[in-house]
């Protein structure tokens, strides 16, 4: 896979996890020229946008994680992060990092146009 996510695991409700995604394997061009983001998927449901950084470096979040999750990118390490705090059981899902969509703001939370990485399972127990 071009993008490799890590840092998933099992945590109790209210706990925290940090996901990392190595972007160095992305071959579609310079990552700063595209949206990069995190998505999640529960079996039987569509993949949904969680957080993204757009071409201008603006961070955007879906309503269900605002105030709890933080996305960041370390350009020196070419790594994307998702800091997840105050986790809830409903946050349990396979989390995927993605790069390559051209967009601004919440447009980066749409699924199309991305190259996907391997998923990282996050399980939040009640």
């Amino acid at each position: 896979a071009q993008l490799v996510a890590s840092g998933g695991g099992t945590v109790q409700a209210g706990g925290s996890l940090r996901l990392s995604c190595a972007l160095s394997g992305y071959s579609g061009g310079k990552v700063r020229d595209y949206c990069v983001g995190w998505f999640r998927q529960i079996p039987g449901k569509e993949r949904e946008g969680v957080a993204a950084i757009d071409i201008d470096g603006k961070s955007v979040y879906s309503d269900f994680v605002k105030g709890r999750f933080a996305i960041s990118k370390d350009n020196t390490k070419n790594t994307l992060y998702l800091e997840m705090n105050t986790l809830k059981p409903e946050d349990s899902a396979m989390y995927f990092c993605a790069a390559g969509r051209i967009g601004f703001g919440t447009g980066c939370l749409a699924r199309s146009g991305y190259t996907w990485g391997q998923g990282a399972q996050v399980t939040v127990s009640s």
Side-chain angles (χ1 to χ4, degrees), residues 30-121:
K30 295 180 179 178
V31 175
R32 65 172 181 266
D33 293 335
Y34 301 94
C35 303
V36 290
W38 290 95
F39 293 72
R40 69 187 188 186
Q41 189 169 21
I42 301 169
K45 292 194 173 182
E46 291 186 344
R47 192 169 296 185
E48 60 183 1
V50 175
I53 299 174
D54 74 4
I55 295 173
D56 290 336
K58 177 183 176 183
S59 299
V60 292
Y61 300 90
S62 289
D63 288 343
F64 49 80
V65 301
K66 278 182 181 176
R68 300 189 298 123
F69 290 14
I71 188 172
S72 61
K73 182 161 62 80
D74 186 329
N75 290 324
T76 60
K77 297 181 179 179
N78 214 16
T79 301
L80 184 69
Y81 300 100
L82 184 68
E83 185 75 35
M84 303 183 292
N85 300 307
T86 319
L87 282 161
K88 305 175 181 180
E90 52 264 43
D91 293 320
S92 297
M94 186 72 75
Y95 283 72
F96 298 87
C97 59
R101 178 180 173 85
I102 297 175
F104 297 91
T106 55
C108 292
L109 294 175
R111 294 190 304 273
S112 62
Y114 275 111
T115 294
W116 299 97
Q118 293 178 328
Q121 179 66 42

